[in-house]
Structures are given as structure tokens and as C-alpha cells.
Amino acid sequence: MIKIKRMLAFGVVAALGFTACGSDDDTTDTTEAPGGTSAPDASSPAPTDGDITVGLTFDLLGRGDQSFNDSAAAGIDRAKAEFGVTVNEVTPTDASARGTDLQLQAENADLVIGVGFSFAADAATVAVENPDVKFAIVDDSMLNFDTDPPTPIAENVAGLVFSEEQGSYLVGVAAGLKTTTNKVGFIGGVSGIGLIEKFQAGFEAGAKSVNPDIQVTTYYVSPAPDGKAFNDPAQGKSDANQLLAFFPDIDVFFQVAGKTGNGVLEAACEAGIHGIGVDVDQFLSTPEFQSCIVVSAEKKLKNIIQGSSGSYG
């Protein structure tokens, strides 16, 4: 296995973007992380030293989820084209397979990327068992907070984290300006992990910044660690319709629930109200819902996947 000369900066932070309907702008800003590190600049390819193999481990659904995984897929496709890296792709058959898949990837890759916070616990173990392989986990800091200051769980693991509340603040502003009833809804996938709550907090703050009278009704599909909450469009539609039954004046929905959120968008379109996309520009990725999507909080995951894959030279 080829030696990797440069390691990912721990605590990499990437900013989210605000995407209006139909926009496909790949530009994004990066936010400086503690210690002066920043997200890799996807516009400045770093030369690779030989054939670097990246093991991209999608979360459940893999390519084709029209959201989170597809954004990662777009990033690795660009890395292959621009940096010439070799890519091994794996999608777990179920939640219990995440650790096994990370280990299999580690046996054949220089860098293993886990697409989602659900890989964090397994990655901490697998990384220790494979000290010569670098690991990067999306949406988890991979830090030990029992130390002061926090330290990496393992020296060969980096967390790829985002400022979700920033993009959510902007779509909250859009919701606050768009509503005619002063009532909007937020539906998250799982509660109790802090990640989705960041989206909620930013959304509420943005909406209230332009509309102090607005009421934000929040609902979570299930508590953590139920990963199925991100893969059930029928449940998302049912939950959205139930909220509308109790709060019929809601006229904007922001959903942060993976493919489950597609059901929320479907319910919004059928009700003739507005929907807000997440992670990617869902006006483009889910054209069946274009009639109601007004904006998306795009996570630009593709940029950080591309930059991480090409940051070795």
C-alpha cells in the first residue's frame, strides 16, 4: 500500500450553501477550523504521489438516494476525473454491516471515507486496528471530548464536519419571507444526536430574524439511533400529513431526513404548499417535486469528498 504523505486536517469544517431553485453552482466557501486548518480547496487540485486508492463507503441506499449519498458520489466522481485516484465503493446491506465494510475497505485502500455519522463508532475501532490507513468520517468530529482540549479518537482519523446551522439559517430566512400564515414546519430524521438539531436551530433563527411572529412546528421521525428514519419516504409523507392535520396553517416545510424527506416534499406538493430541500439542490435532484421546492440548504458534501480524496501529494 502506498504511503500517504499528507494527512487530513482534524476537525475539517465546510460551510453550507444556499441554493435557489435550479442553481447548480459548485462554488462554496470554507470555514477555518480550530488550529488554523480549513477544508481542502476543490478548485486547486493537489498532485498525487502514485496511485492512491480511496474506499468510499456510502451509508444505506448508496448512489441514487437523490440526496446525501449522491452528493458524496458526485465528489468521488470528480476526484477520479481530476486526481486520478482509484476508488472502491461499498454500500452496507444493513446497519450491522458498517464495521465489516470499513474493515474490508481498509484492506485495500489508502484512505477510507465513511459517508455519515453512523460510521463513527465502528471507525474508531477499525482505525486503531489499521494504523497505516487514513480514515475520514462525514458528520462526526471523531474527537475525544473527555480530554481538554479534545483529542482525536485515533491519530489516523479525521472528522469531516459542517456548519449546518448556517445554510439552515438562510433557508429559514427564505421561509420567513415566503410564508403567508406565519406558520412553518421542520421535520428531522432522528433526534438526540445534535446534528439534525443544528439544522433546526439555524432554520428557526433565520425565520425569526425576518419574521418575529412566525411559529415553527418541529417534529422528528424517530429518536437515535434508528437509521431507518432516513430511508422511509412513506413515513415522511405520513408524518407531514399528520402535522398538516393538526396544524393546517403550515405553508412551508423544511425536511432534514434523507430519503424520508422526499415523502415530506411529496406531501407538501400535494397540499399546495412550499417545500425546502436539503444536502443537495433538490429542485434538480428530485424534479418530481419542482412544483413546490422553493430553495435548498445544500451541504456541498461533494466538494469536501473531492478535496479530501485529492489532498495527498
Side-chain angles (χ1 to χ4, degrees):
M1 186 172 292
I2 298 171
K3 182 179 179 182
I4 297 177
K5 293 184 178 179
R6 190 186 310 160
M7 186 177 175
L8 283 170
F10 287 106
V12 170
V13 178
L16 279 78
F18 171 90
T19 306
C21 289
S23 173
D24 194 25
D25 183 3
D26 283 347
T27 60
T28 186
D29 295 327
T30 56
T31 301
E32 188 169 317
T37 62
S38 62
D41 182 358
S43 65
S44 303
T48 56
D49 183 13
D51 184 17
I52 301 299
T53 298
V54 179
L56 184 67
T57 312
F58 291 110
D59 206 355
L60 307 179
L61 297 180
R63 285 180 181 262
D65 71 344
Q66 300 176 301
S67 185
F68 195 68
N69 285 304
D70 272 356
S71 186
I76 205 66
D77 288 345
R78 295 197 312 192
K80 284 192 290 187
E82 297 186 28
F83 306 137
V85 299
T86 298
V87 179
N88 298 327
E89 292 185 9
V90 171
T91 300
T93 54
D94 55 52
S96 64
R98 290 190 179 102
T100 300
D101 286 344
L102 288 178
Q103 177 56 45
L104 290 174
Q105 291 278 46
E107 294 170 6
N108 299 285
D110 304 290
L111 167 66
V112 176
I113 301 176
V115 184
F117 63 87
S118 296
F119 286 99
D122 290 312
T125 300
V126 176
V128 171
E129 296 172 349
N130 297 271
D132 294 329
V133 179
K134 307 304 181 188
F135 292 80
I137 304 301
V138 176
D139 282 343
D140 194 285
S141 68
M142 300 306 293
L143 297 175
N144 178 7
F145 289 95
D146 290 334
T147 62
D148 188 18
T151 55
I153 290 175
E155 292 301 322
N156 56 328
V157 178
L160 307 181
V161 296
F162 298 77
S163 299
E164 289 86 0
E165 70 283 353
Q166 295 182 15
S168 294
Y169 183 96
L170 294 177
V171 298
V173 169
L177 296 174
K178 195 71 174 176
T179 181
T180 60
T181 63
N182 290 335
K183 293 181 175 61
V184 300
F186 174 91
I187 295 182
V190 297
S191 61
I193 59 173
L195 175 64
I196 310 303
E197 285 85 352
K198 287 172 66 180
F199 281 99
Q200 176 191 335
F203 179 67
E204 291 181 347
K208 292 177 180 178
S209 72
V210 295
N211 190 343
D213 296 326
I214 200 167
Q215 297 179 31
V216 182
T217 298
T218 62
Y219 178 85
Y220 285 84
V221 178
S222 68
D226 181 14
K228 295 194 294 281
F230 294 103
N231 184 25
D232 195 343
Q235 186 65 53
K237 182 177 181 180
S238 175
D239 289 342
N241 282 330
Q242 286 188 48
L243 279 184
L244 288 174
F246 283 105
F247 306 98
D249 289 337
I250 289 176
D251 63 354
V252 182
F253 265 130
F254 179 32
Q255 47 77 33
V256 185
K259 198 155 190 175
T260 299
N262 289 4
V264 178
L265 294 175
E266 183 178 0
C269 288
E270 290 180 356
I273 62 176
H274 304 297
I276 296 176
V278 72
D279 291 335
V280 298
D281 185 351
Q282 289 197 279
F283 185 86
L284 299 177
S285 70
T286 56
E288 63 269 34
F289 306 132
Q290 286 184 352
S291 64
C292 63
I293 294 177
V294 293
V295 70
S296 292
E298 188 173 359
K299 199 160 187 174
K300 298 292 186 182
L301 176 59
K302 57 188 174 185
N303 287 14
I304 202 169
I305 294 294
Q306 178 192 13
S308 299
S309 300
S311 63
Y312 303 100

